Amino acid sequence: MDKDQLQENIAKRVAQELKDGQLVNLGIGLPTKVPTYIPEGVSVMLHSENGFVGLGPTPETVDPTIVNAGGQPVSIMPGGCFFDSAASFGIIRGGHLDVTVLGALQVDQEGSIANYMIPGKLVPGMGGAMDLLTGAKKVIVAMEHTAKGEPKILKRCTLPLTAKSQVDMIVTEMAVIEVTSGGLLLTEIGEGFTLEEVLSATEADLIVSESLRTCLQ
C-alpha cells in the first residue's frame, strides 16, 4: 500500500464519523481528503479558522483570496460566508463546532496530543489547533500509525503538547481507537492487518473491544 492509498483509507474511515448537518473543521494535510468520501445523503458545513464557513472543492478558476487554513485554494458553497478571525475563533471557542479532524505527531493513552512542533526544527506555528482541540465537541485524530517505523500512539507524549486529554478518537491505517476514561479502546482493525501487528506498532496500552471488527474503508 503506497502513502496515497494509506491516507485515502484513513480519510474514508474518518468520513464515516460525520453526521448530516454537522459543522466540521478539517486540519491541514490528510484531513483535507475527508470531504471526498463523505457518505451519500450526508451534508456537512466545513469551517476554516481563517474566516470561512461553507468551504467547497478546489475550483477550476482559482481565487487567491479564498483559501483554507493550509493556504490551499477552495471554493465557497451556496449558503457559505466570510468573516474575520475574531468571529471565526468565537465559533470555535464558543463550542459551536461539532467535529474537528486533525493530524498529529503523537497521541497518548490519556488522549493528549502533540501536533505542532519538533524541538530544534523550524515551526510555522500551531495555528488554531489549541482552540480547536478544546472547543470542538468531538476531536478525531487522523494520522499514520507509525513514523519511520516508530509508534506515534504512546503511553505519554514526548513532544510538546498541543492539548491535554482532548482527543476522542484516533483513526489510522491500522486501527480505529476510542479514547475512554479507562484507556484506549481498540474497536476496529484496518483491513489487511492483524491484532498482533497493531499491538506491536503501538506503545500505549490498548484495551481490545469484545466486539472488535475489521475496518472496511
Side-chain angles (χ1 to χ4, degrees):
M1 186 186 303
D2 63 26
K3 189 178 184 70
D4 286 341
Q5 182 61 56
L6 179 152
Q7 292 195 351
E8 286 177 9
N9 284 353
I10 297 170
K12 287 178 185 177
R13 180 59 188 83
V14 171
Q16 295 173 24
E17 292 298 310
L18 304 184
K19 304 294 187 292
D20 194 49
Q22 287 184 325
L23 181 61
V24 179
N25 180 284
L26 301 176
I28 62 174
L30 194 163
T32 62
K33 298 178 183 288
V34 171
T36 303
Y37 305 105
I38 294 174
E40 187 175 351
V42 174
S43 176
V44 302
M45 188 73 80
L46 297 179
H47 167 273
S48 187
E49 61 263 32
N50 57 323
F52 303 102
V53 160
L55 295 187
T58 303
E60 292 184 6
T61 302
V62 171
D63 182 339
T65 66
I66 305 177
V67 296
N68 64 20
Q72 299 169 312
V74 291
S75 57
I76 298 295
M77 302 295 286
C81 59
F82 308 79
F83 34 79
D84 62 19
S85 291
S88 186
F89 278 83
I91 290 171
I92 298 169
R93 295 169 182 170
H96 304 294
L97 276 180
D98 293 298
V99 182
T100 185
V101 183
L102 298 169
L105 297 167
Q106 296 177 341
V107 183
D108 69 24
Q109 59 193 33
E110 292 185 350
S112 298
I113 178 175
N115 79 338
Y116 80 100
M117 73 170 297
I118 298 175
K121 293 192 176 183
L122 182 64
V123 182
M126 67 179 65
M130 281 188 171
D131 298 272
L132 290 164
L133 286 161
T134 55
K137 296 172 186 174
K138 182 174 183 177
V139 174
I140 301 174
V141 168
M143 68 176 189
E144 296 178 33
H145 206 94
T146 61
K148 298 180 180 179
E150 295 298 317
K152 294 174 66 174
I153 305 174
L154 310 175
K155 293 181 182 296
R156 295 288 184 276
C157 291
T158 59
L159 295 174
L161 293 183
T162 313
K164 184 175 175 60
S165 303
Q166 294 296 326
V167 176
D168 297 297
M169 174 178 282
I170 306 165
V171 179
T172 76
E173 76 280 12
M174 299 183 73
V176 176
I177 299 168
E178 296 179 7
V179 182
T180 74
S181 58
L184 299 183
L185 178 66
L186 176 63
T187 60
E188 301 175 32
I189 293 178
E191 188 175 15
F193 295 98
T194 66
L195 175 58
E196 289 71 24
E197 287 173 328
V198 174
L199 295 176
S200 177
T202 308
E203 182 196 273
D205 297 323
L206 294 179
I207 304 164
V208 180
S209 172
E210 293 181 359
S211 56
L212 182 67
R213 65 188 182 93
T214 300
C215 171
L216 299 174
Q217 287 90 359

